[in-house]
Amino acid sequence: MARVVVDVMLKPEILDPQGQAVANALPRLGVTDVSSVRIGRRIEIEFAGEADLDRAREIADKLLANPVIEDFDIRVAEDA
Amino acid sequence: MARVVVDVMLKPEILDPQGQAVANALPRLGVTDVSSVRIGRRIEIEFAGEADLDRAREIADKLLANPVIEDFDIRVAEDA
């Protein structure tokens, strides 16, 4: 068993209204030192055998991320 | 500027239909060695000054995660 983690985030130039909504709510919690909040997805892919990064990249490319507006990053999880 | 990353994932005992849908689509891509896919959220909180983990934990607890069904993990991003 090996786990690969895929982090999918909006590209920096794409507006993130969901993150903006969280950032706008922070002053009400008394938080004033946060300059931005960005919200993306974290996907954990559990392989039955060895972790296969090339395979995970293919899955991310075809099923998990929209390459027009999102970037993704792939790594083997340290704890698995 | 310092960046704190919050990973929010469904608790292991909670069903993840979105991840299940991705897992079910994999055989059509020719991928047969993946045993499970779990989909959660990754939030990047950018602090104007120093990273404040306690503050980030409070934000995650109150705004980002649903403690009934989700666990979260907080760390300072290495690259920021």
Side-chain angles (χ1 to χ4, degrees), chain A residues 7-8 12 15 19 24 30 32-33 37-38 41 43 50-52 57 60 62 69 72 75 77:
Chain A
D7 290 324
V8 180
L15 283 177
N24 291 345
T32 55
D33 55 344
V37 177
R38 307 273 297 170
R41 292 193 302 289
I43 299 105
E50 261 185 83
D52 184 339
R57 193 176 311 278
K62 292 192 179 160
I69 58 168
F72 64 86
R75 66 183 186 282

Side-chain angles (χ1 to χ4, degrees), chain A residues 39-78:
Chain A
I39 300 185
R41 292 193 302 289
R42 173 194 160 98
I43 299 105
E44 295 178 353
I45 302 174
E46 203 89 46
F47 283 89
E50 261 185 83
D52 184 339
L53 281 179
D54 288 337
R55 189 67 99 175
R57 193 176 311 278
E58 190 194 340
I59 296 170
D61 215 32
K62 292 192 179 160
L63 291 180
L64 302 176
N66 176 351
V68 177
I69 58 168
E70 292 170 331
D71 288 326
F72 64 86
D73 182 69
I74 290 185
R75 66 183 186 282
V76 177
E78 309 81 22

Side-chain angles (χ1 to χ4, degrees), chain A residues 33 35-36 38 40 42 46 48, chain B residues 33 35-36 40 42 44 46 48:
Chain A
D33 55 344
S35 55
S36 98
R38 307 273 297 170
R42 173 194 160 98
E46 203 89 46
Chain B
D33 55 343
S35 55
S36 98
R42 174 193 159 100
E44 295 179 354
E46 204 88 48

Side-chain angles (χ1 to χ4, degrees), chain B residues 48-79:
Chain B
E50 260 184 83
D52 184 338
L53 281 180
D54 289 336
R55 189 65 99 177
R57 194 176 311 279
E58 188 193 341
I59 295 170
D61 214 33
K62 292 191 179 161
L63 291 180
L64 302 176
N66 176 351
V68 177
I69 58 168
E70 292 170 329
D71 288 325
F72 64 86
D73 181 70
I74 291 184
R75 66 183 187 281
V76 176
E78 309 80 23
D79 60 312

